[in-house]
Amino acid sequence: MANVVVVGAQWGDEGKGKIVDWLSSRADVIARFQGGHNAGHTLVIDGITYKLSLLPSGIVRAGKLSVIGNGVVLDPWALLAEIERLTAQGVTVTPENLLIAENTPLILPIHGELDRARESQNSVAKIGTTGRGIGPAYEDKVGRRVIRVADLGDPATLDLRIGRLLTHHNALRAGLGLEPVDSEALKAMLLEVAPKILPFAAPVWKVLTEARRAGKRILFEGAQGSLLDVDFGTYPFVTSSNTTAGMAASGTGLGPTAIDFVLGIVKAYTTRVGEGPFPTELNDSDGQRLGERGHEFGTVTGRKRRCGWFDAVLVRQTCATSGVSGIALTKLDVLDGFDELKICTGYELDGTFYDYLPTAADLQARVVPVYETLEGWSESTAGARSWADLPGAAVKYVRRIEELIQCPVALLSTSPERDDTILVTDPFED
């Protein structure tokens, strides 16, 4: 039985929710391993739309165990609100089907306040953060002052953690013109939420180890996309965690030998939310058409996504940094009706050709895409469930992508519905 890691191979919003849901129907455990409630998944199941931010996509499937790993930063109030929304839609969420790693760091209200204050006062270059406190929480984790889930069970430990945390934060807040945090008020908030969160707490690393030994199938679910990775993304316009597949091991406590297949989710074109370089961005009617047909608005923020042609250079790069075994190509149907399509095959800058995106920020901002033009198709690909259902030009487009990114297509998605999927390679049986 194979264990599968699912990661976004672009800037996020590639359609991971549907693919993870499709795979989770055959997995036993679904583990979220990084990010926070700044990322979102949209699932459409039997005509019902579910919007998830913190909960693993498997939560909507009966009989599955969902876990939130230690690589996640958890806003307990956001989690409870999400559970309440799903409960209203008929989804059951209890400690029987959801576990949270005891060593998961918590996002507190002060993290969001700091996030928004810094972004509003950044007059040089905005990062494009969602303002939900993800970055400051990760900073506190690395600074060894964060409050973790296990700390909620001991008021004495909580006092020590709060004291250390506020020594740092109140100094920052003074510099930003914010009022100091009342430690007693913060402690009261945490003690109030503790009994609602602690029943879900567990040694997730141990649970996953035992599941693996029992031959269970584990699906590791990433958030956002590899181009937002804090090390390999378009820094500093990135998130605050590692979004590549390697994080699945350290973000859950299950070693890298447990990973058998890495599935990279790739959109048939390219989108990005927020600031930062985007070589193939289209500020014309084609870009507007992609956005409208693809309904390109953020699940969490509602922000309009920037749209552009498929960038094979970037996807080839992310397939390498995540060790992708095969890709799931999504939203092919959005390209229906284009007379011609373009794929970026490289970059040109000051007379030099690049077959990768340079690391230096000034170079990333100035690269010019080199395009290859392919024939479009007029027929509809929406709802196709076999290669025979696809126009010849669409098949050629997919095959050319495989060649350029040096990675095979394992799955092809042709609509938001989970069954509108062409299976080429089964990640769980590879």
Side-chain angles (χ1 to χ4, degrees):
M1 294 295 184
N3 296 323
V4 179
V5 177
V6 176
V7 293
Q10 293 160 306
W11 276 294
D13 311 309
E14 302 96 348
K16 290 185 293 298
K18 170 196 166 168
I19 301 300
V20 170
D21 171 64
W22 190 87
L23 290 169
S24 68
S25 65
R26 301 168 58 243
D28 301 297
V29 184
I30 300 87
R32 170 80 183 273
F33 61 83
Q34 54 75 221
H37 64 306
N38 55 334
H41 291 332
T42 299
L43 310 180
V44 181
I45 303 172
D46 297 329
I48 302 175
T49 299
Y50 302 95
K51 293 186 181 294
L52 308 177
S53 293
L54 276 168
L55 292 168
S57 297
I59 200 69
V60 300
R61 295 277 165 201
K64 311 295 179 181
L65 175 63
S66 291
V67 303
I68 295 175
N70 56 277
V72 173
V73 282
L74 179 75
D75 182 324
W77 298 277
L79 175 65
L80 293 173
E82 189 171 327
I83 290 174
E84 186 177 347
R85 288 196 302 273
L86 284 183
T87 300
Q89 290 185 279
V91 177
T92 300
V93 183
T94 72
E96 297 298 314
N97 65 343
L98 175 67
L99 298 178
I100 302 171
E102 296 170 318
N103 52 339
T104 300
L106 297 180
I107 299 176
L108 308 179
I110 60 174
H111 291 124
E113 291 172 10
L114 177 60
D115 206 358
R116 294 185 292 273
R118 288 198 299 207
E119 186 80 349
S120 67
Q121 296 188 26
N122 187 346
S123 58
V124 179
K126 293 185 182 298
I127 300 299
T129 172
T130 59
R132 292 171 184 247
I134 281 74
Y138 274 118
E139 290 174 35
D140 284 341
K141 174 183 178 178
V142 175
R144 293 163 292 183
R145 55 181 170 264
V146 80
I147 295 170
R148 306 196 296 182
V149 169
D151 299 330
L152 295 175
D154 180 18
T157 299
L158 205 53
D159 283 332
L160 294 173
R161 297 284 189 268
I162 290 173
R164 181 174 173 81
L165 181 73
L166 294 189
T167 297
H168 175 78
H169 273 267
N170 281 336
L172 285 179
R173 293 171 70 89
L176 291 167
L178 300 175
E179 293 293 321
V181 176
D182 184 325
S183 61
E184 289 302 318
L186 177 58
K187 181 181 179 181
M189 289 179 65
L190 290 169
L191 290 177
E192 180 185 11
V193 81
K196 301 174 185 176
I197 296 296
L198 286 173
F200 296 100
V204 158
W205 66 270
K206 186 173 184 294
V207 172
L208 293 179
T209 298
E210 292 170 352
R212 185 190 179 203
R213 286 174 179 165
K216 305 278 190 180
R217 287 173 166 173
I218 303 172
L219 183 63
F220 299 90
E221 178 182 2
Q224 301 149 306
S226 298
L227 290 169
L228 294 174
D229 186 271
V230 70
D231 289 310
F232 293 102
T234 48
Y235 190 91
F237 304 100
V238 293
T239 194
S240 300
S241 63
N242 288 109
T243 57
T244 49
M247 185 65 185
S250 58
T252 60
L254 200 58
T257 56
I259 299 170
D260 301 298
F261 194 100
V262 178
L263 183 66
I265 315 299
V266 179
K267 196 177 288 186
Y269 49 101
T270 311
T271 63
R272 174 165 202 173
V273 172
E275 310 295 328
F278 185 169
T280 65
E281 183 173 12
L282 295 171
N283 295 304
D284 59 12
S285 58
D286 284 336
Q288 183 175 352
R289 183 178 179 184
L290 288 172
E292 291 174 352
R293 295 202 59 188
H295 306 291
E296 297 297 351
F297 295 90
T299 300
V300 172
T301 64
R303 290 187 293 181
K304 183 178 180 181
R305 297 174 187 143
R306 300 152 66 189
C307 298
W309 295 122
F310 186 84
D311 193 328
V313 183
L314 290 179
V315 176
R316 182 170 64 243
Q317 194 164 320
T318 57
C319 283
T321 56
S322 270
V324 172
S325 312
I327 68 165
L329 191 66
T330 67
K331 289 198 168 185
L332 182 67
D333 55 304
V334 173
L335 300 180
D336 294 351
F338 279 89
D339 293 330
E340 63 178 29
L341 302 167
K342 293 183 179 181
I343 297 177
C344 175
T345 58
Y347 307 121
E348 218 175 291
L349 180 63
D350 301 333
T352 300
F353 179 81
Y354 289 85
D355 63 356
Y356 67 98
L357 184 66
T359 300
D362 65 314
L363 301 184
Q364 290 183 351
R366 294 193 297 115
V367 294
V368 177
V370 176
Y371 286 117
E372 178 179 304
T373 302
L374 284 78
E375 178 187 359
W377 56 88
S378 57
E379 306 97 317
S380 173
T381 63
R385 298 186 181 182
S386 72
W387 288 108
D389 295 335
L390 297 176
V395 174
K396 289 180 181 178
Y397 182 78
V398 174
R399 294 305 186 199
R400 185 55 179 150
I401 284 176
E402 288 182 308
E403 292 173 358
L404 290 170
I405 68 173
Q406 299 171 1
C407 190
V409 169
L411 299 167
L412 186 64
S413 171
T414 55
S415 93
E417 291 292 338
R418 69 185 298 270
D419 292 329
D420 291 339
T421 304
I422 300 172
L423 176 64
V424 182
T425 301
D426 188 338
F428 278 123
E429 301 295 339
D430 184 67

